[in-house]
Amino acid sequence: MHNKNLMYTVRVSEPNPKLASLMLEQFGGPQGELAAAMRYFQQGLADEDPGRKDLLIDIATEELSHLEIIGSIVAMLTKGVKGKLAEASEETADLYATITQGSGSHTLSLLYGGGPALVNSSGQLWNAGYIDSIGEPTADLRSNIAAESRAKIVYERLINITTDPGVKDALGFLMTREIAHQKSFEKALYSIENNFPPGKLPGMPEYTDKYYNMSQGEGDTRGPWNQGAQWEYVDVKPTDAPVNGGDGNPSVKLAAKELKAINAVAARTQSNPAADPMTGADLGAGPGAGKTAKTKA
């Protein structure tokens, strides 16, 4: 059920189409409120744990109310230009200057009439590819924590470029709710006793606690991510054999008929390194081909 009052009262000082275009990042962008709502709804509908289901549906519903807040900000920031466009109440040059303040403000004004569009700040259409759920709570909750973290950073950046005190206040509320959601998701994750590693299957013990130093040279650094009681630090040299032995060459077992066909293809397409045939490049076919032309001694 929809409550006609916003979850947080928003007061916009004056129209600003350019700022409205930037705000679309949290309306139809990958870190925005619609993506968050759809991610948590999808997870909540499939979750078998009643507590997590309630948590996910609650936060998904709140994200929709956040979407309403952001959409209302966009609509208010474009309210002036919307009327001017509809009524042609300015001279052509002045009206053009109003709607082309930068970013995608002209697209927002002309195509969507100043209404919030399901696009990001560059005009990229929202798409379901932003939803990265995988159906495993220990993985999805970690992804949710990261998503809320990214959304908080975007809100911080929007706050830093906003001079409108009312918009800044509303963005501060939305940013703070991202922190609260991170806390809830983290508590839910750690309330699952066997939450690491994600999934059911354990890792292969001979590789689980190894750290492979694959980029040796200046800048090698040791820290809790590769040293301590739970780590075995392995310097990997170019001459080292694969970690599981063997010569490092891939192989596949083929039936005799398949092997015969493969050998026939290899023989038919074999290159002759001793050959130096005349080609189109030698005859000057194409840019830069002159360098390869054969000349008489």
Side-chain angles (χ1 to χ4, degrees), residues 198-219:
K200 180 179 179 180
L201 296 177
M204 300 168 71
E206 62 268 40
Y207 304 120
T208 300
D209 300 325
K210 281 188 171 67
Y211 180 93
Y212 293 109
N213 181 25
M214 305 289 285
S215 55
Q216 297 173 24
E218 186 177 354

Side-chain angles (χ1 to χ4, degrees), residues 221-265:
T221 305
R222 304 297 298 272
W225 55 87
N226 63 17
Q227 70 180 4
Q230 62 175 289
W231 289 113
E232 178 187 347
Y233 189 86
V234 181
D235 276 321
V236 181
K237 297 178 173 58
T239 56
D240 286 348
V243 297
N244 66 332
D247 58 9
N249 292 314
S251 62
V252 59
K253 291 184 178 180
L254 298 173
K257 187 176 181 179
E258 294 170 324
L259 183 60
K260 182 179 179 180
I262 290 293
N263 289 337
V265 172

